[in-house]
Amino acid sequence: MRKPIYIITLFLSIQAFAQRNEPVEKMNVLFIITDDLNMTNLSFYGAGVANTPNLDQLAESGTVFERAYCQVPVCNPSRASIMTGKTSQSLRIWNNEPHFRGMYPKIITLPQRFKSNGYYTAGIGKIYHNWAQSIQGDPKSWSAPELYHYAPHYRDWYVPGRPYEIHNDLSKGPSVQKADVPDEAYLDGRIANEVVKRLSEIREVPFFLAVGFWKPHMPYNAPKKYWDLYDPKDLPAIRYKDKVEGVPEIAYINSPEAASYTDVKKGESIPEAKRNELRHGYLAAISYLDAQIGKILRELERLGLADNTIIVFTSDHGYHAGEHGQFGKWTNFEVGTRVPLIIKIPNVQNRRSNSLAGLVDLYPTLLELCGLSPSHEVDGNSLVPTFEHTNAQVNDLIVSQIARPAGAVSNREVLGTSLRDENYRYNVWVDESNGEIIAEELYDLSTDFLKVQNVINDKKYKSAKKMLSQKAQEILSKTNYK
């Protein structure tokens, strides 16, 4: 009975917009967010690893941010930060619980702000977090019910005879699946099809359409044709594929995410053969994701909407796809916090921005581009100056935070705060019970942003350490842990 109700609700909501007889002069927004996408594999960042022709084309026509970062390298807090324009310190959310709406019932989300200004807003796929607290999604954000927004990732699995459904009766199984099936056998294929359909339905009204793809999050279960794009015997080498001497143990996560699947042993290093298989599957998942994005971008062009639509493409956080021997998130390393970010604005010349950018900046940026203002004080800064001047610098510093133990919800003990400025990344780990500093890291990334050499005790970097540690203490003094 749910499907007919959904269709009726969608039809009536679209009709309500259409009957206003207002000229469509507002700029549309197509907001695409992925899950666990490591930017170091992407060709448009110079990696030449993943096969992503559609994203490469989008990058050629939009503004690519070379140094964009999440505020928390975990799904729930990162997405809450993006959609509210508030940092983890402000929200006091560092893990996959609680859901932001339970803490802030009156806060105005990004799509909610567009909705209140006459936009049709829709969320298709994983926009907010997809755990149990998100079954109902966030109705306040949308003009129509969300779709494909809730399920554990491992239940997006191909089961012969039941190819086009979320399998709620499945327990967590292997981390990979290579089945010779159509794109729609997995969730992202169905999400892309629904978005294509929805674009035709809402083309006459101003819209904010958020699309949340589930890939390349584990399990790596893209259709076989995407696995076949890569030779498993000739996969690109990974730099810093093992732990590095001099880096405190607390900085690592020991791959708890990968180890939660049945084919990866808990508490042990992932064997080389399994790392290669996971690496292969991760790249296949990225190419599968790219193909779904291509379907949407082509439909946008076909409908004549591309000239009036701002396109955003990003990931909720960074990801270790073999770096440091890990397949997972939850780190304050550069690879754990750095994200891909493309913003395409009609009639704005393609460019690359080297400005430090935070995902928290997207809230004020999109509102300004569409002539709107935030409904509350936001923590991010608008990136609009970067579209006007190639060398514009919007932020001097980007702050990311993560909790330990990894994955903790109610038993968080240590907070890791990471500061990224033009040249350095400084990480400090603080015991929340007494404010004691447990460990510090300092990385000089001025010539190599992936370099992992902790120079915290090197006298050459004494002044950089002092400056960044003082800033970190200022931030921590304003952080309300409870």
Side-chain angles (χ1 to χ4, degrees), residues 14-34:
I14 294 173
Q15 284 295 103
F17 276 92
Q19 290 174 2
R20 292 179 180 179
N21 296 319
E22 295 179 357
V24 181
E25 297 177 348
K26 298 176 180 178
M27 191 75 73
N28 303 314
V29 176
L30 174 62
F31 184 95
I32 302 174
I33 186 168
T34 66

Side-chain angles (χ1 to χ4, degrees), residues 50-304:
N51 187 311
T52 55
N54 296 292
L55 285 174
D56 293 347
Q57 184 176 359
L58 180 63
E60 290 176 0
S61 59
T63 297
V64 175
F65 288 84
E66 301 279 3
R67 298 190 297 175
Y69 300 91
C70 66
Q71 273 47 76
V72 191
V74 182
C75 295
N76 177 55
S78 177
R79 292 164 184 265
S81 175
I82 294 168
M83 289 299 170
T84 62
K86 306 292 288 183
T87 63
S88 54
Q89 301 102 284
S90 296
L91 293 175
R92 294 176 292 118
I93 301 173
W94 289 276
N95 279 301
N96 279 334
E97 292 183 17
H99 191 272
F100 76 93
R101 189 59 83 181
M103 296 179 66
Y104 307 100
K106 295 183 180 180
I107 198 166
I108 306 299
T109 65
L110 178 60
Q112 193 176 352
R113 185 64 175 144
F114 276 89
K115 180 182 174 183
S116 68
N117 279 274
Y119 280 74
Y120 174 87
T121 62
I124 301 174
K126 182 180 176 182
I127 310 302
Y128 300 104
H129 191 45
N130 62 305
W131 279 19
Q133 73 269 28
S134 301
I135 292 176
Q136 300 303 319
D138 187 52
K140 292 182 178 180
S141 292
W142 314 114
S143 303
E146 290 173 75
L147 190 63
Y148 300 129
H149 64 289
Y150 165 73
H153 282 268
Y154 63 87
R155 290 179 177 167
D156 178 23
W157 196 256
Y158 172 67
V159 177
R162 302 166 56 193
Y164 304 117
E165 59 181 278
I166 290 291
H167 302 290
N168 291 318
D169 56 340
L170 285 184
S171 298
K172 184 172 283 192
S175 59
V176 298
Q177 184 182 46
K178 182 169 62 175
D180 192 2
V181 294
D183 289 358
E184 294 74 26
Y186 298 113
L187 195 53
D188 279 356
R190 301 198 290 279
I191 288 173
N193 289 351
E194 176 61 32
V195 173
V196 167
K197 176 175 174 286
R198 189 73 64 90
L199 284 171
S200 293
E201 296 169 335
I202 64 176
R203 60 187 298 184
E204 300 298 331
V205 300
F207 62 79
F208 180 100
L209 179 55
V211 182
F213 286 110
W214 291 55
K215 288 290 174 275
H217 193 291
M218 225 175 241
Y220 306 140
N221 52 357
K224 179 179 179 297
K225 62 183 177 181
Y226 299 105
W227 288 75
D228 292 344
L229 293 173
Y230 305 93
D231 182 351
K233 297 179 181 180
D234 190 30
L235 297 177
I238 298 174
R239 293 177 58 200
Y240 304 106
K241 69 176 184 177
D242 297 304
K243 293 182 178 180
V244 176
E245 184 178 353
V247 176
E249 188 63 28
I250 197 170
Y252 295 105
I253 58 172
N254 198 27
S255 302
E257 188 162 14
S260 68
Y261 288 83
T262 58
D263 57 343
V264 180
K265 292 184 179 180
K266 294 179 174 62
E268 298 182 11
S269 297
I270 301 175
E272 190 70 20
K274 175 54 75 172
R275 287 195 202 185
N276 288 339
E277 184 183 27
L278 292 174
R279 176 78 164 159
H280 189 184
Y282 184 71
L283 294 173
I286 292 175
S287 291
Y288 170 57
L289 162 71
D290 178 79
Q292 310 319 305
I293 292 173
K295 295 174 186 177
I296 295 171
L297 297 181
R298 287 190 292 274
E299 183 65 7
L300 200 71
E301 290 282 355
R302 190 188 72 81
L303 294 172

Side-chain angles (χ1 to χ4, degrees), residues 73 247-253 329-333 337 400-406 412-419 425-432 434-443 454 456 472-473 476 481:
V247 176
E249 188 63 28
I250 197 170
Y252 295 105
I253 58 172
K329 36 194 173 277
W330 277 306
T331 82
N332 274 335
F333 289 113
T337 57
S400 303
Q401 290 185 314
I402 191 62
R404 288 288 184 266
R412 190 180 71 246
E413 298 174 358
V414 177
L415 186 66
T417 299
S418 183
L419 277 62
R425 176 171 293 279
Y426 170 79
N427 298 338
V428 59
W429 302 88
V430 176
D431 186 324
E432 295 182 7
N434 56 22
E436 178 185 349
I437 294 178
I438 296 173
E440 290 178 284
E441 306 157 67
L442 180 65
Y443 303 101
N454 187 12
I456 194 69
Q473 291 307 311
L476 288 170
Y481 299 123

